[in-house]
Amino acid sequence: MAVVISSTLKLSNCPATISVAYLRLNNYSSSSNPTTLNLSTLKKGTGGRSSFNGVVATVFGATGFIGKYIVNRLGKSGSQIIIPYRGDNYEPFRMKLAGDLGQVYFHEYNLRDEDSIRKCIKYSNVVINLVGRDWETKRFSFNDVNVEGARRLARLSKEAGVERFIHFSSMNASDNPNRSGILPNGSKFLESKGLGEQAVLEEFPEATIFRPSDVYGQEDRFVRYYAHAWRRQATFVPLWYKGERTQKQPVHVSDVATGVMNAIKDPDTAGQIYQAVGPKRYLLSELVDYFFRVMRKDGDWGYKRYDMRWDPIFQLKVTLTERLTWNWPLGHLHWEKIEREHLSDDVKDDIPTLEDLGVHLTTVEEQMPWEFKPWTYAIYKGQDPDEPLAPPEPPKVVVT
């Protein structure tokens, strides 16, 4: 940070005085305490991408689906962003365009290396934890990432004097989650997410926690999961009890990002838990039927939904997919996903939602035709490009 200092000089044998202004650079050193700097006093500009709004945010998990949207919103509002990454350093660099020149920084880190984490959060007043693991690998278990990793980030953020810590959990997260009847011991993912919430609040009691339901948008694992050919058997789609016992409230990713931005601005959200759910509740069977109507893959195409319980071939397919593709299951098809897919969203009446953060929620009917456009069957066959497609029948809403 540069400080302008002015002084007056008087030369010998000269009646005039000369005013001189020069710059003194105040550089942050490793020994300085960043918590003594009030970043809100450094706000500059009228707002927007080329301003500085006083937020320096470190976004762990920024290269994931939700992280990219949050980074984009932070950059558009004039935040400085630190993006920790692991692996290929070229993967996160495309997000440099999210902010103005010099406002997006990258730093390599390891979730088990505390020194690398400290360097990532050293000058931040906001830390967002989007790191998660949907399936276990030989390097990282659910406990390693969703519990101990979350605890470590919260503890180090507290030590660094971070003002706001935002942690992403999951809908139905609990140390003793409900069971759909598919996995005998229930979802280990949801159990680890529940324990992760407890760990974060123990280390950072003022943390804000989001529990998202199924999030859809570009590059998601909800729309593309059902559109993937590996999820179905030819033109047949297997669901547990035909999907007629499961209720879902999917939410659009832009609404989640808006909720995070509003939570950062509002200090009253500290220590609160928010349920990130959509405005309407549907049966899973209604949703999947609607998805295939949007893709123009209805009964004439050969679509049929049936009970997964009586299809041992599909069950074998899931098992083999899980065992033979350890790092990235084909089509995101694995038993943990199947288990969570058929659990109803347990939305609590006493826990606030995105609407309490002032978010105007997007409905499934508004967004899905756009999301499924790449998978629309015979989109130009016998269709005048100038004539819009007739909207499909919307899914029936569950009356609560």
Side-chain angles (χ1 to χ4, degrees):
M1 182 173 65
V3 180
V4 180
I5 301 177
S6 62
S7 61
T8 303
L9 298 179
K10 186 173 183 179
L11 303 179
S12 58
N13 301 324
C14 180
T17 59
I18 302 175
S19 296
V20 179
Y22 60 93
L23 293 176
R24 186 182 72 191
L25 295 178
N26 288 345
N27 296 319
Y28 298 124
S29 66
S30 59
S31 60
S32 64
N33 183 5
T35 61
T36 60
L37 179 64
N38 185 1
L39 294 171
S40 62
T41 63
L42 302 180
K43 292 182 180 180
K44 182 180 179 181
T46 58
R49 176 186 172 92
S50 297
S51 303
F52 177 56
N53 62 3
V55 173
V56 179
T58 299
V59 185
F60 290 93
T63 57
F65 164 51
I66 300 177
K68 294 174 183 176
Y69 285 80
I70 293 177
V71 166
N72 186 52
R73 290 293 183 87
L74 288 168
K76 287 174 67 175
S77 64
S79 306
Q80 286 189 352
I81 309 165
I82 296 95
I83 298 179
Y85 69 92
R86 68 186 186 98
D88 185 3
N89 63 327
Y90 287 102
E91 181 183 0
F93 280 5
R94 72 189 77 180
M95 287 189 286
K96 197 173 188 68
L97 300 177
D100 205 358
L101 183 63
Q103 300 304 298
V104 182
Y105 303 89
F106 304 90
H107 198 289
E108 189 174 10
Y109 90 111
N110 187 305
L111 193 58
R112 296 188 176 103
D113 184 0
E114 295 191 0
D115 288 337
S116 67
I117 295 173
R118 289 190 180 96
K119 292 177 182 177
C120 294
I121 63 178
K122 184 176 180 180
Y123 300 117
S124 299
N125 55 0
V126 175
V127 172
I128 303 174
N129 177 28
L130 289 154
V131 178
R133 170 56 62 187
D134 284 347
W135 57 85
E136 293 184 301
T137 66
K138 60 183 179 181
R139 293 179 180 269
F140 288 96
S141 66
F142 287 131
N143 185 75
D144 292 337
V145 179
N146 298 337
V147 183
E148 295 306 320
R151 179 188 297 276
R152 189 174 297 113
L153 293 178
R155 173 172 56 83
L156 295 178
S157 296
K158 191 68 173 179
E159 293 175 0
V162 171
E163 298 173 12
R164 301 301 311 277
F165 186 86
I166 295 177
H167 172 72
F168 267 73
S169 181
S170 174
M171 179 58 61
N172 298 328
S174 171
D175 55 0
N176 185 23
N178 295 330
R179 301 175 186 180
S180 68
I182 299 174
L183 294 180
N185 297 321
S187 171
K188 293 172 62 179
F189 170 87
L190 294 177
E191 181 181 5
S192 67
K193 280 295 188 179
L195 295 173
E197 286 186 13
Q198 298 175 18
V200 166
L201 293 176
E202 287 174 6
E203 303 292 345
F204 205 120
E206 302 84 16
T208 302
I209 294 176
F210 282 86
R211 291 177 180 170
S213 59
D214 294 291
V215 185
Y216 61 91
Q218 297 295 299
E219 301 182 3
D220 69 358
R221 295 180 185 175
F222 182 63
V223 167
R224 281 139 190 83
Y225 171 71
Y226 288 107
H228 202 286
W230 201 244
R231 178 60 183 84
R232 61 179 190 264
Q233 297 282 71
T235 59
F236 292 2
V237 177
L239 296 175
W240 197 253
Y241 284 99
K242 300 177 70 173
E244 295 172 355
R245 297 188 177 186
T246 306
Q247 298 181 8
K248 295 288 186 181
Q249 281 187 244
V251 62
H252 190 240
V253 64
S254 291
D255 296 340
V256 178
T258 302
V260 171
M261 295 302 299
N262 292 350
I264 292 175
K265 299 173 186 176
D266 186 357
D268 292 336
T269 60
Q272 296 290 326
I273 297 176
Y274 291 92
Q275 300 173 118
V277 295
K280 298 180 181 180
R281 193 173 180 88
Y282 312 90
L283 286 174
L284 179 61
S285 57
E286 282 288 329
L287 275 177
V288 176
D289 289 350
Y290 173 68
F291 292 166
F292 278 82
R293 287 198 298 271
V294 172
M295 292 186 286
R296 296 171 63 174
K297 297 177 179 178
D298 50 13
D300 294 337
W301 176 78
Y303 167 75
K304 184 177 181 180
R305 173 173 43 84
Y306 68 96
D307 197 336
M308 184 196 302
R309 295 178 299 159
W310 316 121
D311 187 355
I313 296 178
F314 181 77
Q315 296 177 24
L316 178 62
K317 176 181 175 180
V318 177
T319 301
L320 292 177
T321 301
E322 189 173 66
R323 292 184 179 180
L324 298 180
T325 55
W326 294 336
N327 291 333
W328 197 276
L330 180 61
H332 299 113
L333 185 64
H334 52 96
W335 282 115
E336 266 288 339
K337 176 71 173 176
I338 296 290
E339 170 74 17
R340 302 199 305 271
E341 173 189 5
H342 294 93
L343 281 175
S344 295
D345 291 340
D346 186 13
V347 181
K348 311 285 188 184
D349 293 333
D350 57 341
I351 298 179
T353 64
L354 293 177
E355 291 180 299
D356 295 290
L357 289 170
V359 180
H360 178 69
L361 297 175
T362 305
T363 65
V364 164
E365 297 85 348
E366 293 172 337
Q367 191 65 26
M368 284 304 173
W370 167 260
E371 299 296 341
F372 278 108
K373 204 159 186 116
W375 294 277
T376 302
Y377 178 70
I379 188 171
Y380 298 118
K381 183 178 179 180
Q383 173 74 32
D384 187 345
D386 295 330
E387 294 183 6
L389 293 173
E393 181 185 352
K396 297 178 182 178
V397 179
V398 174
V399 179
T400 56

